[in-house]
Amino acid sequence: MSQKHRYESGIIGNCSYIAHVGKDTNVNWLCWPSFEDSFVFGSLLDRQKGGEFSILPTGDIVESKQYYVDNTNVLCTEVTGEDGSYRITDFAPRFEQYERYYKPLMLIRKVEPLSGHPQIRVTCEPTYDYGKQTFKKDRGSNHVQFHSADTHMRLATNMPISHFFENEMPFLLNQTVYLILTYGSAFEAPIERTAEEFQKRTQQYWQKWIKKASIPTFYQKEVIRSALVLKLHQYEDTGAIIAASTTSLPEHPGSGRNWDYRYCWLRDSYYVLTALSHIGQFEEMEKYASYIANITHIDLDRLQPLYGIFGKHKLTESTLDYLEGYLGEQPVRIGNQAHEHIQNDVYGQALIALLPLLTDSRYNHELKINVREWTSFILKKIGATIDELDAGIWEFRNFEQRHCYSNLFQWAGSTAALKIARIYGLDDIAEEARRLKKRAAEHIEGCFDPQEGVYTNAIDSKNLDASTLQLIMMNYLDPASEKAAKHLEILEKELKAENGLFYRYLHKDDFGKPKSTFLVCAFWYVEALACVGRVDEAKDIFEKLMQYSNHLMLFSEDVSEHDGSQWGNFPQAYSHVGLVNAAYRIAVKLDKPTFFEKE
């Protein structure tokens, strides 16, 4: 594709759901009642079967722009048509009420005239069962009821209800219109007064949340937006944090790499918890760590790389061939076969994830864990898998190796176990942790290519992999050492692309040779540069990476080196996690007084 591809949409949410709103006013993606359920609006994947919730001018859109209310997840879309302009304010109510968070399955759209005499057409046609079924639509006094055998939605509005049944006539927008869509329960309250109050309280909630966050001055706006994005991806009821709210957005056109990311990758918990720690959001950390603790207590067999937001193990993957796919890119997948994979870094991830709850005095220690039993259990898992081949972090589907990255996290997990053992006086556990740490290090060193001075992706392999940047960032290699400097130099020679973009790897996998860069790897590269003291380069590349966001500072999973196009599921929580961690790594290195200004 010659034209640069960008996702022309923003997201709103309240930690119960996430909705995507396009610059064309349409809610093009919304899964209800949870992240894992069918979309009720899914035109992102099929323009015909995906339903529609749009607020369009009668003629063409002359101009459309989107922005967030400062430091919130409240999204504004300003549309100019041929006869006037109007603003749509979209938000998901979230605020404190009765000593808990109010976060209903409710989407509020406020439509205000700005100039001229705009005439609009509002279309609200939800669907369900991934586009297989449509709702029966009934007229109420000032609401529209959508219902099926087991699903009910209601649209309450101060617009004439007839508009939703016979909308050949456009609606003259001469006063503010409110559209309140709910799932499962009816909205029975004053429409205008309630919508205005909910908007005010929601904005105040988000602004207060950001005020309480620890945000550095280095690229502060971008870090704030990333923090807000990360928060939306936590399913608060269980604490799980999903990779993305979407499924099947391709890694690049024609790739077939279209995955369902609406699940929680236990395997990536270290990076998520590091980001939450950086921004000082302990409530979110505790909830996430509690989710991980529950998983490790329930799943006494192998730990999986990923789980459902409710802890579901079996995430059977299937394709929905009747859906056209994003821009015609099939297949559309639901479920994720990676839940069956052996990825042995997950045990180290689990140990590191719960380390703060067991060792950090700032926590309430409400999570009741038998420290000896739990630490011993995870160490036994590390011991049982430390010599195994596995699918690795990139989830290769048809071959296994002894991956450097997997052993690195076994090394890190054993190190964490040593810290726990020291604090709690568990001498026998400390002895086992030392043994496993040494064994993991032997495997890692088995990946070292002395001729090239670089660690390869796996034992008996010549392939390089961006995941080995973590050897530097996790202090397996002393960042000040010549070995770390050389390792980084060789990796960047092979895997670095334009403007600091970074490939995961360049060897062939199950789907051929990768054609798009993986954005979180670019942020890892920035961190590695800062670690080894190349701070000016780290700053320069971080700045260049900012150009790969969309108009709302939202980042995708993948970026094309050739034209800077966004691809992959969007927005990708782990890309934003990478941004936060890279920004903090640079900020710590800079560590100048607040009044300091470089001459």
Side-chain angles (χ1 to χ4, degrees):
M1 297 179 71
S2 55
Q3 193 175 4
K4 186 182 287 189
H5 172 264
R6 284 280 189 271
Y7 291 111
E8 297 287 312
S9 58
I11 59 169
I12 60 169
N14 60 5
C15 304
S16 287
Y17 76 87
I18 292 175
H20 293 235
V21 183
K23 285 177 76 174
D24 64 357
T25 79
N26 190 32
V27 178
N28 58 39
W29 188 256
L30 167 58
C31 296
W32 266 354
S34 81
F35 297 151
E36 290 179 11
D37 289 297
S38 166
F39 59 73
V40 293
F41 296 110
S43 61
L44 199 63
L45 295 184
D46 195 299
R47 287 161 293 183
Q48 300 302 316
K49 297 184 180 71
E52 182 179 350
F53 193 1
S54 62
I55 305 165
L56 292 167
T58 51
D60 293 335
I61 294 178
V62 176
E63 184 183 9
S64 176
K65 65 177 183 177
Q66 279 186 319
Y67 56 91
Y68 283 105
V69 175
D70 281 350
N71 296 351
T72 76
N73 283 309
V74 175
L75 181 64
C76 297
T77 308
E78 291 188 5
V79 177
T80 301
E82 294 160 0
D83 46 17
S85 64
Y86 54 96
R87 176 171 56 234
I88 305 164
T89 303
D90 288 306
F91 67 98
R94 179 177 172 84
F95 46 83
E96 290 183 52
Q97 183 167 270
Y98 309 128
E99 298 181 357
R100 56 186 183 267
Y101 293 117
Y102 181 67
K103 46 183 175 54
L105 297 178
M106 177 187 297
L107 168 60
I108 298 181
R109 314 197 75 183
K110 173 183 171 183
V111 193
E112 304 168 88
L114 295 179
S115 66
H117 303 282
Q119 296 184 67
I120 61 172
R121 280 197 174 90
V122 180
T123 303
C124 185
E125 296 289 349
T127 183
Y128 69 103
D129 194 14
Y130 290 102
K132 286 182 183 174
Q133 306 288 337
T134 56
F135 288 96
K136 189 174 185 300
K137 186 166 68 170
D138 288 332
R139 185 192 307 241
S141 55
N142 33 25
H143 70 267
V144 181
Q145 186 77 30
F146 303 96
H147 56 90
S148 67
D150 54 4
T151 306
H152 301 273
M153 292 169 58
R154 179 181 282 200
L155 178 68
T157 182
N158 60 342
M159 278 184 71
I161 294 303
S162 57
H163 183 82
F164 298 91
F165 293 86
E166 300 159 8
N167 70 348
E168 287 82 9
M169 285 289 291
F171 178 77
L172 179 62
L173 186 67
N174 53 17
Q175 61 181 13
T176 301
V177 161
Y178 301 89
L179 302 153
I180 303 175
L181 186 68
T182 56
Y183 181 95
S185 59
F187 176 81
E188 294 175 339
I191 289 173
E192 179 178 346
R193 191 171 70 216
T194 305
E196 289 291 343
E197 181 193 352
F198 282 12
Q199 181 183 345
K200 180 182 175 183
R201 294 181 71 179
T202 298
Q203 288 178 186
Q204 287 173 341
Y205 166 82
W206 288 118
Q207 288 166 345
K208 183 180 176 183
W209 188 82
I210 285 297
K211 276 184 183 176
K212 291 193 301 182
S214 170
I215 306 288
T217 54
F218 180 77
Y219 277 84
Q220 193 173 65
K221 284 185 180 297
E222 288 78 3
V223 174
I224 286 172
R225 180 50 52 198
S226 290
L228 287 164
V229 168
L230 179 56
K231 173 69 172 171
L232 286 189
H233 284 74
Q234 182 165 56
Y235 189 72
E236 190 167 76
D237 284 358
T238 63
I241 295 177
I242 58 171
S245 56
T246 54
T247 178
S248 304
L249 303 185
E251 290 185 13
H252 57 83
S255 67
R257 302 172 192 253
N258 306 2
W259 314 117
D260 191 348
Y261 275 13
R262 298 172 297 160
Y263 305 111
C264 181
W265 265 256
L266 192 65
R267 188 208 61 209
D268 291 316
S269 54
Y270 169 68
Y271 308 113
V272 175
L273 284 160
T274 300
L276 289 172
S277 176
H278 283 324
I279 60 178
Q281 294 296 8
F282 294 108
E283 183 181 330
E284 288 73 18
M285 287 178 72
E286 282 183 313
K287 282 188 167 76
Y288 187 44
S290 294
Y291 168 83
I292 293 167
N294 287 335
I295 293 290
T296 58
H297 274 70
I298 293 166
D299 199 344
L300 298 178
D301 194 16
R302 278 186 177 274
L303 287 180
Q304 297 177 185
L306 68 154
Y307 291 86
I309 57 174
F310 303 104
K312 184 179 177 182
H313 294 54
K314 197 169 184 181
L315 307 173
T316 305
E317 185 176 298
S318 60
T319 59
L320 307 180
D321 298 329
Y322 60 89
L323 295 177
E324 65 183 17
Y326 180 74
L327 299 180
E329 292 285 332
Q330 291 183 319
V332 172
R333 290 185 174 94
I334 57 171
N336 198 308
Q337 190 232 325
H339 79 274
E340 300 174 358
H341 289 186
I342 293 173
Q343 292 178 35
N344 290 326
D345 59 308
V346 71
Y347 303 106
Q349 293 269 6
L351 259 169
I352 296 170
L354 293 196
L355 181 67
L357 269 77
L358 303 177
T359 60
D360 192 325
S361 301
R362 292 172 294 178
Y363 284 96
N364 295 326
H365 298 286
E366 291 173 352
L367 187 64
K368 303 299 180 191
I369 288 181
N370 181 322
V371 176
R372 171 184 286 280
E373 183 184 343
W374 184 83
T375 309
S376 176
F377 166 71
I378 298 293
L379 276 181
K380 280 179 184 171
K381 293 292 185 184
I382 290 177
T385 59
I386 201 163
D387 298 323
E388 280 187 349
L389 310 183
D390 71 358
I393 179 177
W394 308 126
E395 299 174 349
F396 300 124
R397 295 198 163 200
N398 294 310
F399 58 93
E400 295 181 332
Q401 294 173 289
R402 186 169 292 143
H403 288 97
C404 182
Y405 182 87
S406 298
N407 288 127
L408 173 63
F409 268 91
Q410 289 167 331
W411 174 87
S414 301
T415 306
L418 269 173
K419 185 173 183 179
I420 293 168
R422 177 177 55 77
I423 290 170
Y424 290 91
L426 308 174
D427 293 340
D428 54 332
I429 285 177
E431 186 179 339
E432 177 64 1
R434 285 190 197 95
R435 184 184 76 79
L436 291 173
K437 183 178 177 180
K438 182 182 177 186
R439 182 66 176 154
E442 287 169 0
H443 285 323
I444 293 169
E445 290 308 311
C447 299
F448 185 65
D449 180 344
Q451 206 167 10
E452 297 294 332
V454 69
Y455 287 81
T456 62
N457 73 321
I459 290 176
D460 298 326
S461 169
K462 289 291 185 184
N463 296 322
L464 301 188
D465 191 314
S467 67
T468 62
L469 289 165
Q470 294 293 335
L471 293 166
I472 300 168
M473 291 140 64
M474 295 177 71
N475 261 71
Y476 176 84
L477 293 177
D478 178 355
S481 69
E482 182 58 37
K483 203 170 190 180
K486 181 68 172 174
H487 177 63
L488 177 57
E489 182 188 318
I490 301 298
L491 282 181
E492 61 189 339
K493 246 180 219 177
E494 177 159 328
L495 300 178
K496 182 183 174 184
E498 194 73 24
N499 293 324
L501 292 170
F502 227 80
Y503 286 96
R504 287 176 285 183
Y505 49 85
L506 283 172
H507 56 275
K508 284 185 178 180
D509 62 15
D510 315 276
F511 292 82
K513 190 175 176 181
K515 292 181 181 176
S516 58
T517 68
F518 207 59
L519 195 53
V520 74
C521 295
F523 287 120
W524 290 350
Y525 174 50
V526 168
E527 282 198 73
L529 285 171
C531 283
V532 301
R534 294 163 60 184
V535 182
D536 286 341
E537 289 176 76
K539 284 171 59 183
D540 180 58
I541 287 173
F542 187 96
E543 185 173 333
K544 286 175 178 173
L545 293 177
M546 294 305 98
Q547 70 182 287
Y548 299 114
S549 76
N550 78 347
H551 58 290
L552 293 167
M553 290 191 288
L554 302 181
F555 289 87
S556 61
E557 177 189 33
D558 302 273
V559 176
S560 167
E561 174 190 8
H562 306 295
D563 60 10
S565 288
Q566 292 186 319
W567 292 107
N569 283 303
F570 171 85
Q572 174 76 354
Y574 300 141
S575 294
H576 287 276
V577 162
L579 185 153
V580 169
N581 291 339
Y584 270 84
R585 188 82 72 166
I586 293 171
V588 166
K589 290 288 184 180
L590 296 176
D591 194 25
K592 296 284 192 291
T594 53
F595 59 81
F596 184 82
E597 184 70 27
K598 192 172 180 180
E599 296 295 333

